[in-house]
Structure formats: structure tokens, C-alpha cells
Amino acid sequence: MANLNIPPEPSRTALVTGGSGFVGGRLIPHLLERGWKVRALARSPQSEAEVRALGATPVKGSLAEKSALRDAMAGCEVVFHVAAHFKLWGKQSLFDQANVEGTRNVVDAAAATASVRRVIAVSAAAVVMGDPEPMIDIDETLPLQFRAFSPYSSSKAKGERLVLGANRVRPDFETIALRPPFVWGAGMPTLEEMVETVHAGRWQWVDGGRQAMSSCHVDNLCDALVLAADRGRGGEAYFVADGEKSTLKGFISALLATRGVSVSDKAVPFRVAWTMAGLMGAVWRLLRLKGQPPITRQMLRLIGKPFTVRTDKAQADLGYTPRTTMSNGLAAMGGAKSGPAGLTSHRGDRHAVAAS
């Protein structure tokens, strides 16, 4: 891993929640390479084994166990709160249990632990998504949004509000939230779901997939997390993203190509998909069907309209510069070294995004 210009301090100790997950599992090596000692919250024997294999010290417990959280944080300087419940369908209460109440427990435990000086939480760029509409080159001045059709995004918005609201509850205690858009990279679990959807013949591009989109490679997110441990302003949220933008069709097609999967041009207008998703959701709730509908309004809000973010604030305050390019990230996943169609530079400027 390249040098982030932060001097290693071997005596520093961090706690990572969600260490056996996609992002947490990459964050642990990033921290260890910087000289940190890492503890990782683990709620099952399998999770304990996974974080131990990564080099972290597992600490048994869950987000619901306040005493376990306090014990895990004792002697830690920074808490990286990465754990979250992410699905495209489900009851609001399930999302709130993990993403709101779990976050509340983490923040409360950290504030009560004298050694902890910072909590860095992984929020989501989707916390500012309201009703479906294009959002291009947005920044952190937009308000949080809470929509009933998007339980994941609204629960993350509630969680972020809790995190930032706890800033300076002690004079030496600060909280920061990072907002990545679509997080990707080798081992990303959502790619498997996309491959299954294509193989089942259910894939359709919403509005032809022409939507501009920002993404965030998992290693770029981990870089930002490490930077936030020492930089940035307490009580602030930061968008972090890749240095290039693409379109939904260009980028997702490139991801699927890393698995040798190609997708047809079959498409559906957004309004039609939105209506279908509403009807399917009503049927699923009424009949209490298992699993999730083939299409949900939450999924459509996440990918159905143009959505790109600016990272000027993260660059200025954190010293953030995305090091992993789309081309390099795709190559590491087994894809071609050329980036996705429609790719354009995204380093603090306002270039237009080409269609794929």
C-alpha cells in the first residue's frame, strides 16, 4: 500500500466494527500496514476466525451489547464504525436496529471510554437522496433525507445524525462520518447478486443505464478512513469517491465483465419501473412473501437517477486523493485494464459525464 504521509505510530490501537465484512475486512490490513494495533468486534466464531486471520485481535460481542462494546474499546484511541445492515428490501425496524440503535450504542460506549478520542463512521452517500431526481456534483451542504420507501438510506441518515451529534460531548472527543457512494472492489458481495440476476434473465437497464454515477473503490474508502483518524474536522461529514465518474451501464457492465458476464441492452423507463416496484412491494407486504421483490423502490432510488458527488471537502480537510483508479481496480478483479465506457475525470472539477 502506498504511503499516505501519516507517520506510523505502533502504540496506537483501534477498534473496527464489521471487521469480517467487505469494507472492514479491507480496513484491517490498511491499519496494520500503518503500524496500528487492531481489535475487531466479532459476534460469531466464524467472524472471530476471519478477523484473526486478517491480523486483528477479535473481541466477542455485537452492536447490541453495550458492556461488550465498552470492554472492546478500553485502551483504544480510535473507533472505526463500519458495521451496517444493508439490504434492498426489509422492514424499517430491522434497518434501524443495526444502523441506528447499533450506532447509538457504539457512540455512547466510545464517549464513555476515556481513551477514545475519535469515532470515524462509514455513512453512505445515499443519506441525501430524497424523492427520485437527478443529483449532479452535489456537496455536503445538502440536508439529510428520510424516505419511507428507502429504509436503508433513512436508517443511515439517522445513524449519521447520531454520530455527528455526539461530537464534543467530551472536550477531547470528536466524531466524523464518511459518505461513500457505490462501494466496489474484489470480493464485493453485490456483484454476486448482479450475476445471479443476469443469469436468471431478469436484468434490465433503467432508462437505458445512461445515468451518471460516482463510485468508491473499497481501498479508496479505507485510505479516507485512515486519514480521518488524524485529519478532518469533528462533527463533519465527507463525501469520498473515486477519481473518475462513469455511467451506470458503463460501470456495471465492466464489473460484470470481470466475471465473464455480458448484459443485453434490454431497458425499462424509470416511471414504469417505479410503478412496478411499488406494486410488487405492496404484494410482498400484503402476502408476507419471503425474500425480496425482483425490483424495489429503494434499489431504484439508489441507481435509477444520475447521482455524482464532489470530494473537494475531503481533499481539503483530510488530504484525500483517490489512489485506486477504475482501471486498476477492475484489473485486480480480473477485468480489462481499460476503464468502463463513459469514464471521465473527477478530481475536483466539473467535467460533464459522457454517456456509455
Side-chain angles (χ1 to χ4, degrees):
M1 189 175 77
N3 195 317
L4 295 183
N5 298 318
I6 299 176
E9 299 183 33
S11 63
R12 307 176 79 181
T13 303
L15 174 70
V16 175
T17 70
S20 60
F22 174 50
V23 176
R26 296 290 277 268
L27 177 60
I28 289 172
H30 276 245
L31 289 167
L32 292 171
E33 289 175 19
R34 294 303 311 155
W36 289 74
K37 295 179 181 178
V38 183
R39 298 177 192 168
L41 194 68
R43 62 180 179 177
S44 69
Q46 180 179 348
S47 294
E48 289 184 48
E50 289 175 0
V51 298
R52 184 180 290 110
L54 291 170
T57 300
V59 182
K60 190 173 183 180
S62 71
L63 299 182
E65 300 173 85
K66 297 181 181 181
S67 60
L69 286 168
R70 289 193 294 269
D71 290 343
M73 293 177 189
C76 290
E77 179 186 343
V78 177
V79 173
F80 294 95
H81 181 39
V82 182
H85 177 66
F86 173 67
K87 296 287 183 181
L88 294 175
W89 176 256
K91 295 181 179 179
Q92 183 72 60
S93 59
L94 294 178
F95 289 92
D96 286 351
Q97 181 180 354
N99 300 341
V100 183
E101 296 310 316
T103 296
R104 189 193 308 276
N105 291 339
V106 168
V107 171
D108 288 349
T113 304
S115 63
V116 177
R117 67 174 185 84
R118 271 197 172 184
V119 174
I120 315 298
V122 176
S123 182
V127 297
V128 297
M129 286 182 172
D131 295 332
E133 62 181 5
M135 303 178 75
I136 300 294
D137 283 347
I138 63 170
D139 61 23
E140 292 82 357
T141 59
L142 291 180
L144 297 174
Q145 299 287 341
F146 310 90
R147 293 293 188 274
F149 62 76
S150 190
Y152 167 73
S153 300
S154 62
S155 69
K156 292 295 285 185
K158 295 173 191 175
E160 180 183 299
R161 186 170 58 185
L162 280 172
V163 169
L164 301 184
N167 189 60
R168 298 291 185 179
V169 294
R170 294 191 337 245
D172 60 343
F173 182 74
E174 295 183 317
T175 57
I176 290 176
L178 300 187
R179 297 173 174 176
F182 185 92
V183 182
W184 64 287
M188 57 183 291
T190 52
L191 181 56
E192 301 305 317
E193 298 174 8
M194 288 190 284
V195 169
E196 291 178 7
T197 301
V198 174
H199 285 163
R202 298 195 304 266
W203 188 278
Q204 294 187 69
W205 298 108
V206 178
D207 278 351
R210 296 181 296 272
Q211 304 89 313
M213 67 173 289
S214 289
S215 59
C216 188
H217 189 275
V218 63
D219 287 338
N220 289 333
L221 174 56
C222 289
D223 282 353
L225 286 164
V226 174
L227 288 166
D230 292 289
R231 304 177 183 179
R233 291 172 283 161
E236 296 290 333
Y238 295 90
F239 284 119
V240 291
D242 294 330
E244 309 99 335
K245 300 172 188 175
S246 185
T247 61
L248 179 71
K249 185 176 182 180
F251 187 59
I252 298 302
S253 294
L255 285 174
L256 289 168
T258 68
R259 296 293 308 277
V261 175
S262 59
V263 192
S264 72
D265 292 330
K266 190 176 181 181
V268 59
F270 179 87
R271 288 185 180 181
V272 173
W274 188 259
T275 300
M276 290 171 55
L279 292 173
M280 289 181 183
V283 169
W284 249 252
R285 285 187 292 268
L286 179 64
L287 301 181
R288 298 181 180 181
L289 300 178
K290 294 182 179 180
Q292 67 181 40
I295 187 171
T296 68
R297 285 190 167 178
Q298 176 161 264
M299 183 264 290
L300 286 173
R301 184 61 194 94
L302 290 173
I303 58 92
K305 292 293 182 179
F307 183 77
T308 62
V309 304
R310 296 181 61 82
T311 60
D312 306 66
K313 185 178 176 183
Q315 292 176 47
D317 289 2
L318 305 180
Y320 171 72
T321 300
R323 295 182 299 112
T324 300
T325 65
M326 287 187 177
S327 296
N328 290 341
L330 290 167
M333 296 174 69
K337 292 186 178 181
S338 59
L343 183 150
T344 185
S345 176
H346 171 53
R347 298 188 181 278
D349 54 20
R350 292 184 178 272
H351 291 319
V353 181
S356 62

